Every structure is written in structure tokens, then in C-alpha cells.
Amino acid sequence: MLKIDRRLIKNFDWITLLLITALSLIGIMTIYSATRPPLGVGEHPDFYAKQMLWFVISMTALIAVVSVNYIWLYRISYPLYALGLILLIVVLFTGRTSMGAQRWLSIGPVSFQPSEFFRIFFIAGFTAYLTNIGNRFTEKIPLKSIMIFAIFPLILLIKQPDLGTAILLMSLFVILSVSKGISRKITTVIIIIGLISIPFLGNIFWEGLKEYQKNRLIAFIDPDIDPAGIGYHIAQSKISVGSGGFFGKGYLKGTQGPLRFLPEKHTDFIFAVFAEEWGFIGSALLLGIYLLLFLRGLDTAMKAKDEFGRLTATGITAMFFIYFCVNIGMTLGIMPVVGVPLPFVSYGGTALLSNFIAAGILINIRTRRFELFYP
Amino acid sequence: MTLYRIKLGSYIVIGILLVFGFRLWQLQILDGDKYKRLSEDNRLRILKTPAPRGIIYDRNETPLVKNIPFFSVSITTDNPKKIDIDSLSALLGLKRQEVEEKLYRKDNSPFVPIKLKQGLSFGEIARIEAGRSDFPGLFVETDVGREYLFGKVGAHIIGYLGKITQSQMKNPGLRHFPPDALIGQWGVEALHDAQLRGIPGERIIEVDALGRELRLIQERPSVKGNDVSLSIDINIQKAVEDSFRSKAGALVALKPDTGEILAFESLPSFDPNTFSRGIVYEDWKALMDDKKKPMLNRAVQSQYPPGSTFKIITAIAALEEGVIHSETKVICTGGINFGKWTFGCWKKGGHGSVDFHKGIVESCDVYFYELGKRLGMDRIYKYADAFGLGRETGIDLVPVKERQGLIPNTEWKKEKKRIPWYLGDTFISAIGQGYVTTTPIQMAVMMSTFANGGTVYKPTLIKGEHRPVGAIKLKPDTIEMIKDALSGVINESNGTAQGARSSLTVIGGKTGTAQVVGKKKGAVAERFMDHAWFVAFAPVDKPEIALSVFVEHGGGGGAVAAPIAKKAIEAYMKSKNGQEAAAKSMTHGSQPIGGQKDAEN
């Protein structure tokens, strides 16, 4: 199965690989800077080294994913989705709690967040479903599909709680449904039901939030309420980004991160550390890399040879884009603080691995766009 | 169809990235400078280090105060809700409500330590250090506090340090002070606060988000406040404190040729150390409610009829105006009748034939009624006024307000009382009773002005300062005759103040009694006893010290007040001789006084 086809190398999507490698290296560099001990005194935490190791693992996983035809993903997508749901249920009962959320599962020495992989399983499962259902979907979205692919996973995620993944899944559900194509009638009905139910949903949503999540939303609406309390993250993040100026303070010259003004500096707020050190020029360049990655992903979707490939590429690109938007929007103070990592850049082994696997699927779809027959 | 949707998606992606780009431009370029400044503030904290306060010395360079470490406990926290307030208030021995108030003050910043309690004892420090581990961010701070080495002695002039008050914070000069700053609140500590205070140092440190110190960036050491040398001699102060023997009253001693205050006591006094250690409400209330009024500065705030001490003024007026000469004689039969009124002499049997000298030495009232009659009130007023009586002496004391006293004249009575001045008014005014009231410090200024030959100085507490504020030219004969008579009061066998006779020097003086209204015949209760006055100067031929003594309910001036004056003058003489001996030994190569002074800092 692992025989390397010459066409595979000829058509390989080097650009996507180059873009995500660049992002990962920028990430490792920034993690190194963000976690350096204050004033250079004391030991340097080995986050960057761990991330490098995960980068190697992730790259290996990507190569493995690319070498297998993505039709296999289609074939095992339902079992994968079921496995994902089971893992989410398991984590609710036996998961390790960290920072007020029960997200981690330990298998032997390895601990990981099932929701990181569930994202991919969800995309695979839902696109497979959309592919199978054919054009019936456009006329009437079956209630069954809403239950299985929206309500059920949503409940499990909010229970953890994992607000970031929950938002992602809701968005992906809508984006994939729209890309599949739904009639104007259904769109109108959805919008009307949505508008009517906002107050109810809003209330249920608000009550379902943990205290820190409510605080974050309040802080987002008015960061000046208590800059040292709930608005602190936003205020400090803006200070970090803004103080970078045009040219930035220079690599390893940022002060916000090492001096611990910036919370979660190597995970959720890594862009703030980067922007402080590299300024407007560096930040614009980084945004440029992402833009290329997204456009490339959408281009892959357009060039995909089948509907499953097209929807999967759309879903994966959308996933990267949503995480990117929520993260950067939060860092720049234009969206609420939701604990979402910046894809490829933020520290986190499971996330990097799952993003590389997702990117591997993207590359896979693009690389095999000329293969007309399933092997 | 779906391809078109994906294309639309690309436009959405580009649009959102443009929004992010715009936001980046806004934060990093448009507001970049603002955020740069904020990030600097984030990193750097400026901590003030208290400056050692200037030392207050007496005129012989004896330190009166000492700087001591003043401990307080503070907490740095980014979220007061995280603190277990119950156990914290238990640890500090404060009420829960007090701690809460401090922690939840609106203007608290997570980067500035919140002072929870000041003036900790060593026991409290030990307790806090032991329980500190439960409260991250809790630490004991050291400030500069004050110890008043002589306690109650001189407390009214030295004063004390206290927490800055709300109204003082509004003062432009004090506005930048932290809310817990200790500043001079009373006496010299308050009056010369700016000079004593010094310049606080600055430590610019790099801190983390929890305000923990990481590194010292820059340090500007504090500059010690300037020392202040007072004109007072602590030896006299101590002697005075002792000699009052728990009686209430005041003593003011001046250096006649400069107006420098050599001694200034108002008794009972208070212990300034109670204040500088952060007075508790109970102690404050006890001081305020004390019937003996220890916070009352009797030297400038007690005003009573000066009694016979005022006869000095009447005598000077009579001699200067030429209404009498030394041989003028008056027959005293124990009183004079004037219309239906009888004005008695204190000696019921009368003094017989009284001349000027005898009139003063034996304090014959009838003699002075006669002088008053010859002078008229307005001429007495002229001299009393020239000697600084009936108006503020101008001594600088904070926050105490000096009282004015009163010297009446005919015009004053017409204006204020709406009745004419009677001769009887002149009689009682001439012997310092009736409307005439003075403060102890005014009487000291009067005595000092006479002793220096007629120059009125504003009394000052600062060594070496002298500010003449008025002068009266007196005939040498007048000075000679009165000096002679005042010396007789003490040193002659018929004098009224033989209790002030000293073997160390020749003292001249005059007793006085301020009658207490409501006195019943034969009453013995202390509160009905007369107030005693005594004014004195020494040595008579070349005065170096002039003073007034006032003893509340002291009875006759000669019995209680005169011995106090003698003790003060003798203390001055001994202290002066001691200083001269020290000065002599200094020239023989022993340790200079200046060296000791530095060692005390």
C-alpha cells in the first residue's frame, strides 16, 4: 500500500507543506522566546524542545497520511466519528481536569485531548454523510443528521467545557451544509428560527457557561471594567501587540511574555508575543502566510476530483480559518477571549499533530486530484 | 454551484484578513507609542524609599528625637477575592470590616502594595512572619518612625508625627504623598516638616505581573532631612517638668537679648510616642476626654488676669510718665474707700507708709491704686501694649492657635461694654485684675522685654534666630529702680517671693494671683484655689533668662510658682556652666560635640 507513485511526487502539494512548516518553525521560535525565564535567570523551560519533538512526530504522521489515498478516510469515516464520540464520553467520566475543564485523557504515559482529534473525525464523518445523502439534503435537512452531527457532540463539548471546539463544530456544521448547498427556503427558515430562538438559546448558553467564561465575555464587551481582573488578558494582549510598533522590539527582546504580564503566552496568546517582537512587518508577514494557506486550501477544494474531497478540503480549511480568526481576533481585542490555539504556531503537541494530520489530508486531496479511479 | 460558494469563501477570507491587518495597523502604528509606554509601565515600578528625617536637637546639641524603624504590613494582590479575609484579619488582629475596606478600596492597584496595619510591635511582626506563608504577597515593610527620647518633656513644642489626614492631602504641597505617609502633625515636627522631611529616594525596579520584584534597574538614594536645632535647653525642660509636681500650668523662659525660647512647658503633657506609633482610637479619645486637658497648650492658650505681676507695667508707666518719683509715699490702711466701694489691699492690716520700693517688694495694692489713679487707664494701656501684652506674641506653633489676652482701655470699654470707664476699673486694672488677661507667653515676653531694656522680640524656638518686633525706650533710672525692687521681692526679708531665692545667682521677680471666680471663704477644694503667677529674670545685673510661670489653682504666687521659677533658673545656670566646662574640655582635645551628633544620626 505504501508504494510511492511517481505521479504522487510530481503532483505533491509542496506549497501547503512549505507554509505549515514555516508556521511551525515560527511557532517553535516564538515559544522559545515566550517561555524564556525572566531576565535570563533560571532554567529555560523545555516547551520549545517538546514542540520540536512533536513537530518531527507530526511531520512523520503527515507523510503517512499523504501516502494513503484519502478514499480510505471516506471508508472509515463513520467508525472514526463513532470512536470520536465515545472518546468524548469517556473523557467526561475519566478525564483529567486542568484549568477548570475536563479535557485530557491519559493512555499510559501519553495524555491527549480527544477533542483535538474529534475535529477531524467530525469533518470526515459529516462530509461522508453529506456525500452519501446526495441531493436530498438540499431540500430538507434530516433531523437525524442535526441530532448526530450537531446537538449530540455539542452537548458533550459544552459539558467539558470546551467552548472553543463547540464553536468550531457549530461553524463547521453551517459552513459544510452551505457548501453542500441548501435551498433558499431552508436558509430562510433557519434564519427565522435562529432569530426567534436567540433569546432562549442565549439564556441557555449563558447559564451553561462557567464563571470564567462569563467573565471573559463581560470583559470583552467592556475591557475597562476591571483591567486587572477579567479584562486583564485583553488589555495585556493589546499592550503586547501595540508596543511592538512598526519594526517590533526584536527577537528575544519582548518583555510582556517573559515578565509574565501576558497569560498563556506560549499557547493562546502566542501571536501577541510574536507581534511584540516582530512588529507590524512581522505580523503582516505571518498573516500573509496564513492567507496563502487558506487560499491554497480553498483552491484544493475547487480542484478536488470528487465531492468528498471537495467538502473535506473545505471543512479542513474552514477549521484552520476559524481557529485563526478566533485566536487572532482575541489577541487583537476584537473578539472575546476563547481559549483557542493558533494553528501550527501555539504550543501543544496534540493540536500540532492533529493539524498536521488535517493538513496531510488537504495535501492528499490536492496531490491525488488527477487520479480518476479509486485503486 | 458549490465552486461559486468556495470562491465566495475566498473573498470572505481575504476580507477578514484585511480587517485583521487594519487592526494591526491601528494597534501597532497608530497607537504604538501609547502601548509602548504602557508596556514600559508594566515592567517598571517606581518605589519610594523613605528619607531619614532630620533630627531635632536642643540648644546644646542634645538630640531630642531618634529615627526608629516603623513597621507596617502590606499585601500585594491582583485579586482581593482570593484572600481569606477572616484568617487574615485574625492574623493581623484587625476587624474583618477594616481589612475588607482596605482591600476593596476603589483606587487600589494590583501593583501597589496595600498597607493593612502600621506601627507593628515585634510580637506582631513575629506572628505575621510565621503566618505569612498562607497569604502570598503579604510582607512587612519598614518605614522611618520617630522615638521621642524625652517622652512628655517638651512634647508641646517638639510635637509628633502622624498619618497624613484627608484635609492635608488636599494641600498642594502634600498632594503627592501616599495616603499612609507620616508627617509632622504638631509642634516643631509640623512647623518644620518640610525641612525635616528630606527627599525620599527612588528605586526603579522591574517587576512581574504579580508585582514581585525581579531586578533593581536604577536607584536614587534618599536624602536625609535637615536637622533642626531648637533654642530650648532640655535640662531646663526636665527640671520644670519635675518641679510642677503634677500640677497643671505652664512655664516659658526666654533669652532676653534674642527672644529665643529656653524652656517651654505646658503641663500636664502627653507622650508623643503614643502618636508616632500609630495612635489607637481609644488612646486618642482618652487624651481628648482627659479632664486635665493634656492637649491644651497652657502657655499660649490659658488667659487669666496676671494679678500683681502686672504691677511691673503700672510701675514702669508711673516712672516713665513721671507721676511719681522714688520718694513718693502712700499710706496703706488695708484698703481705700471710693464712693460706696471699698478696694482692699491683700494685707488686711495695711502696709502703713509705702514708697516705690516697698510697694513692689511687698506688693501693696493700695500703692498701685494710687498709681493707677494718677496715670489713668489709657496711659497704663500704652505701656502694657508696648510690652507686648494683650496681643499675640507671634510664636509659631502648629496647629495650636495662640490666644490674645486683653488689655482694656477707656475706648475699648465704651465700644464693647457700652458703659463708660470708671476709676474703679482703673484701680483693679492697675493691679492686674478685672478685665486684664494675659497668657503665660505674653508675661514671659513682658519680663524679657524689661530685662533687655525695652526690645520686644517675637519668641522663637529656633536656635540663633532673633526677630525684634517692637521697642520702647525706658529711662535708665526706671530700669534701675524696678530691677532693684524686683530683686527685693525675692532677696529681701519682707519680699513676697523668698521661695525663689537662689544661691547660684541673683534673681529678680514678681508674684501674682489670678482670683478664681466663685471662690468661697475658707474653701479648701483645689478647684477653688487661685491661679498662681510668677515672672522672673536672672541674673539681675545682666539678665540671661527671663521667664513666666503659671500654675493652675496654685494658690499664692510666692508659695508655688516662685520655687518652680527658681528651679528653672538654676537648671539654666547649671546647664550653662556644664556647657562651658564641655567647651573648655573640647579645646583640650577631647571628642568634639559635633562628632557625638553624627553618631546619633
Side-chain angles (χ1 to χ4, degrees):
Chain A
M1 215 158 65
L2 269 172
K3 64 169 187 276
I4 306 295
D5 199 321
R6 236 180 335 117
R7 280 179 306 171
L8 217 65
I9 295 173
K10 198 184 125 210
N11 298 326
F12 192 83
D13 183 10
W14 293 105
I15 290 181
T16 301
L17 186 68
L18 189 76
L19 290 173
I20 61 168
T21 305
L23 288 176
S24 306
L25 294 180
I26 287 172
I28 290 165
M29 242 173 67
T30 312
I31 289 164
Y32 180 85
S33 173
T35 57
R36 68 188 201 275
L39 316 168
V41 183
E43 234 171 281
H44 199 136
D46 61 350
F47 290 114
Y48 70 96
K50 279 186 188 157
Q51 188 78 350
M52 274 160 85
L53 182 66
W54 275 104
F55 173 66
V56 174
I57 294 169
S58 305
M59 193 57 97
T60 315
L62 180 135
I63 290 165
V65 167
V66 172
S67 60
V68 182
N69 192 316
Y70 68 89
I71 195 66
W72 277 96
L73 183 66
Y74 172 73
R75 285 176 189 159
I76 61 167
S77 57
Y78 286 174
L80 270 183
Y81 185 63
L83 175 71
L85 286 177
I86 290 165
L87 282 177
L88 283 189
I89 294 165
V90 169
V91 84
L92 274 185
F93 291 103
T94 64
R96 184 160 58 82
T97 307
S98 160
M99 317 255 311
Q102 201 166 16
R103 293 182 192 169
W104 296 78
L105 260 191
S106 298
I107 298 170
V110 189
S111 61
F112 67 103
Q113 298 187 52
S115 55
E116 295 283 3
F117 296 105
F118 182 74
R119 303 173 333 206
I120 299 173
F121 300 165
F122 172 82
I123 292 170
F126 191 47
T127 48
Y129 170 78
L130 289 176
T131 312
N132 294 341
I133 203 170
N135 284 339
R136 273 180 295 153
F137 193 79
T138 40
E139 301 306 325
K140 177 167 147 270
I141 301 174
L143 190 67
K144 200 175 63 183
S145 72
I146 299 177
M147 282 306 295
I148 293 176
F149 292 108
I151 309 288
F152 189 47
L154 218 59
I155 289 169
L156 291 177
L157 286 168
I158 285 182
K159 204 96 183 113
Q160 281 191 16
D162 189 344
L163 198 62
T165 310
I167 289 172
L168 175 81
L169 291 202
M170 279 199 285
S171 316
L172 284 179
F173 186 88
V174 173
I175 289 169
L176 287 173
S177 302
V178 170
S179 332
K180 166 77 187 172
I182 40 177
S183 71
R184 216 161 264 169
K185 208 174 79 194
I186 291 178
T187 315
T188 319
V189 169
I190 287 178
I191 289 172
I192 290 170
I193 292 175
L195 283 178
I196 293 170
S197 60
I198 276 176
F200 301 99
L201 279 182
N203 198 33
I204 293 164
F205 179 69
W206 183 251
E207 293 308 315
L209 290 180
K210 298 258 164 169
E211 199 56 38
Y212 77 94
Q213 291 169 328
K214 287 185 188 173
N215 285 344
R216 282 171 172 182
L217 273 173
I218 295 170
F220 171 69
I221 292 159
D222 185 1
D224 294 326
I225 283 179
D226 175 13
I230 51 181
Y232 181 77
H233 292 181
I234 294 176
Q236 291 293 359
S237 172
K238 273 157 69 180
I239 290 174
S240 298
V241 175
S243 66
F246 190 75
F247 292 108
K249 293 178 182 169
Y251 185 55
L252 300 180
K253 297 271 166 56
T255 54
Q256 292 283 110
L259 291 171
R260 276 175 268 170
F261 292 113
L262 200 59
E264 305 177 47
K265 61 225 174 209
H266 59 296
T267 56
D268 297 351
F269 283 101
I270 190 130
F271 180 70
V273 176
F274 180 85
E276 185 188 7
E277 295 187 343
W278 297 94
F280 183 74
I281 290 185
S283 308
L285 187 75
L286 188 67
L287 294 192
I289 296 175
Y290 275 108
L291 181 64
L292 289 179
L293 181 68
F294 303 142
L295 294 181
R296 185 78 177 172
L298 291 177
D299 189 56
T300 300
M302 284 202 279
K303 293 192 167 118
K305 65 172 190 266
D306 51 32
E307 192 178 29
F308 178 73
R310 182 169 52 74
L311 284 175
T312 304
T314 307
I316 288 169
T317 309
M319 174 181 80
F320 292 154
F321 183 64
I322 290 162
Y323 275 179
F324 167 84
C325 285
V326 173
N327 182 282
I328 301 290
M330 163 187 83
T331 307
L332 297 182
I334 50 181
M335 283 174 105
V337 176
V338 176
V340 154
L342 186 60
F344 303 104
V345 176
S346 283
Y347 173 77
T350 334
L352 190 71
L353 177 60
S354 86
N355 284 332
F356 260 76
I357 290 172
I361 296 168
L362 260 186
I363 294 171
N364 198 330
I365 293 166
R366 191 178 187 92
T367 306
R368 290 191 167 80
R369 66 186 188 274
F370 300 118
E371 287 179 19
L372 290 179
F373 301 100
Y374 296 145
Chain B
M1 273 313 283
T2 45
L3 292 188
Y4 135 79
R5 291 198 177 97
I6 292 171
K7 206 153 221 160
L8 191 71
S10 323
Y11 295 138
I12 293 171
V13 167
I14 292 170
I16 289 179
L17 269 129
L18 282 178
V19 169
F20 286 160
F22 173 77
R23 178 65 173 171
L24 269 175
W25 172 80
Q26 197 185 22
L27 287 177
Q28 298 192 300
I29 294 169
L30 209 60
D31 292 337
D33 289 337
K34 178 183 125 191
Y35 287 115
K36 231 170 241 164
R37 214 172 43 244
L38 280 172
S39 94
E40 288 289 311
D41 290 348
N42 239 349
R43 207 152 62 93
L44 306 178
R45 295 264 167 283
I46 299 169
L47 295 186
K48 299 261 182 215
T49 46
R53 208 171 157 81
I55 300 296
I56 301 173
Y57 294 97
D58 85 340
R59 68 181 302 107
N60 304 320
E61 304 300 331
T62 308
L64 306 177
V65 298
K66 198 169 102 180
N67 286 333
I68 50 162
F70 180 74
F71 297 102
S72 51
V73 59
S74 304
I75 193 161
T76 321
T77 176
D78 54 344
N79 184 4
K81 286 181 197 113
K82 278 190 252 164
I83 298 169
D84 177 359
I85 292 180
D86 279 320
S87 33
L88 180 62
S89 39
L91 178 70
L92 303 181
L94 292 171
K95 289 190 192 93
R96 190 195 149 86
Q97 194 197 340
E98 265 178 278
V99 175
E100 247 173 6
E101 252 168 45
K102 283 174 177 147
L103 286 178
Y104 287 104
R105 259 175 68 151
K106 267 214 184 93
D107 50 352
N108 279 346
S109 149
F111 310 118
V112 177
I114 307 165
K115 231 167 225 171
L116 296 171
K117 192 179 187 182
Q118 287 182 294
L120 303 175
S121 68
F122 283 105
E124 283 176 303
I125 294 168
R127 204 151 48 97
I128 289 166
E129 288 292 338
R132 227 181 77 172
S133 52
D134 296 338
F135 303 97
L138 191 75
F139 61 99
V140 173
E141 274 184 308
T142 314
D143 279 340
V144 176
R146 273 298 215 208
E147 186 182 335
Y148 297 95
L149 299 168
F150 294 92
K152 289 183 170 193
V153 178
H156 276 281
I157 38 172
I158 298 168
Y160 57 81
L161 286 190
K163 225 188 263 185
I164 192 165
T165 63
Q166 289 292 328
S167 56
Q168 284 168 336
M169 298 271 287
K170 289 181 191 127
N171 179 332
L174 302 173
R175 212 162 24 203
H176 61 283
F177 275 58
D180 294 294
L182 292 175
I183 67 163
Q185 293 289 15
W186 197 281
V188 171
E189 289 273 38
L191 185 66
H192 297 283
D193 191 55
Q195 191 184 340
L196 288 164
R197 197 185 294 143
I199 305 160
E202 246 178 22
R203 278 162 54 81
I204 300 179
I205 55 165
E206 196 165 330
V207 292
D208 68 9
L210 294 177
R212 286 178 299 218
E213 187 171 337
L214 295 173
R215 182 174 62 170
L216 181 68
I217 304 279
Q218 200 188 316
E219 183 167 26
R220 196 190 68 201
S222 60
V223 180
K224 182 179 172 290
N226 291 321
D227 295 338
V228 170
S229 287
L230 298 187
S231 59
I232 62 158
D233 184 328
I234 195 67
N235 296 314
I236 312 179
Q237 298 276 144
K238 279 194 283 187
V240 171
E241 161 98 16
D242 288 346
S243 58
F244 262 79
R245 295 217 180 93
S246 79
K247 286 240 175 229
L251 178 143
V252 178
L254 300 171
K255 202 161 175 287
D257 56 349
T258 59
E260 286 169 274
I261 295 172
L262 291 169
F264 184 113
E265 274 291 322
S266 171
L267 296 161
S269 186
F270 57 91
D271 187 353
N273 290 310
T274 327
F275 288 92
S276 68
R277 281 172 198 144
I279 190 161
V280 292
Y281 177 72
E282 285 74 21
D283 288 348
W284 168 255
K285 198 161 157 37
L287 271 174
M288 288 301 146
D289 292 350
D290 193 334
K291 284 207 178 65
K292 287 180 177 164
K293 296 198 172 103
M295 299 306 288
L296 177 72
N297 190 330
R298 289 170 165 80
V300 296
Q301 291 182 310
S302 288
Q303 54 179 20
Y304 289 102
S308 302
T309 55
F310 191 74
K311 286 173 182 165
I312 298 171
I313 294 293
T314 311
I316 291 169
L319 289 176
E320 287 292 304
E321 294 292 324
V323 298
I324 53 160
H325 52 82
S326 62
E327 301 310 316
T328 306
K329 286 201 169 66
V330 171
I331 305 299
C332 170
T333 57
I336 56 168
N337 294 317
F338 181 71
K340 57 177 177 177
W341 307 98
T342 302
F343 293 87
C345 183
W346 65 272
K347 197 173 178 182
K348 296 281 169 277
H351 290 92
S353 174
V354 182
D355 64 0
F356 181 80
H357 189 81
K358 188 180 174 188
I360 289 179
V361 171
E362 297 188 15
S363 199
C364 175
D365 292 336
V366 172
Y367 185 82
F368 282 89
Y369 294 150
E370 178 61 26
L371 296 195
K373 195 167 113 190
R374 292 188 189 185
L375 280 164
M377 191 58 212
D378 289 343
R379 280 202 279 186
I380 298 175
Y381 172 85
K382 189 176 115 194
Y383 286 88
D385 182 61
F387 274 81
L389 300 180
R391 59 185 147 93
E392 288 162 9
T393 64
I395 182 176
D396 290 317
L397 283 173
V398 178
V400 174
K401 186 101 182 63
E402 187 182 1
R403 292 185 76 172
Q404 242 184 322
L406 175 71
I407 303 299
N409 57 23
T410 52
E411 204 178 310
W412 169 84
K413 196 181 175 194
K414 234 183 276 168
E415 229 172 75
K416 296 279 171 186
K417 303 276 170 185
R418 307 239 167 245
I419 39 172
W421 183 270
Y422 300 115
L423 185 57
D425 293 330
T426 310
F427 284 174
I428 56 170
S429 297
I431 62 163
Q433 303 287 357
Y435 298 121
V436 183
T437 57
T438 59
T439 60
I441 192 161
Q442 285 173 356
M443 293 314 283
V445 168
M446 183 277 286
M447 193 73 265
S448 162
T449 302
F450 171 75
N452 70 32
T455 309
V456 184
Y457 287 99
K458 175 182 151 180
T460 175
L461 283 162
I462 301 301
K463 189 181 175 184
E465 214 177 66
H466 62 106
R467 287 205 211 130
V469 289
I472 177 168
K473 210 165 160 46
L474 300 176
K475 294 175 200 157
D477 276 359
T478 307
I479 296 170
E480 213 38 57
M481 281 170 71
I482 292 177
K483 268 191 180 174
D484 195 38
L486 293 180
S487 169
V489 169
I490 290 160
N491 300 303
E492 287 173 20
S493 56
N494 56 344
T496 51
Q498 293 171 50
R501 201 176 294 169
S502 167
S503 56
L504 295 180
T505 183
V506 185
I507 303 170
K510 183 74 196 78
T511 58
T513 304
Q515 280 161 17
V516 171
V517 187
K519 177 175 139 180
K520 288 178 192 136
K521 250 201 175 126
V524 283
E526 196 192 283
R527 65 195 160 95
F528 292 126
M529 282 172 72
D530 292 335
H531 302 314
W533 282 99
F534 192 67
V535 293
F537 63 99
V540 169
D541 50 345
K542 201 167 167 279
E544 294 169 22
I545 177 169
L547 57 79
S548 75
V549 181
F550 173 75
V551 185
E552 270 180 28
H553 306 296
V560 187
I564 294 172
K566 173 191 153 185
K567 290 244 175 69
I569 289 168
E570 287 189 336
Y572 167 77
M573 291 297 168
K574 280 181 206 155
S575 182
K576 188 185 83 170
N577 294 341
Q579 290 303 312
E580 274 165 9
K584 250 178 223 159
S585 74
M586 195 176 80
T587 58
H588 288 101
S590 73
Q591 177 157 26
I593 296 168
Q596 281 170 357
K597 178 177 160 180
D598 286 344
E600 292 289 344
N601 289 351

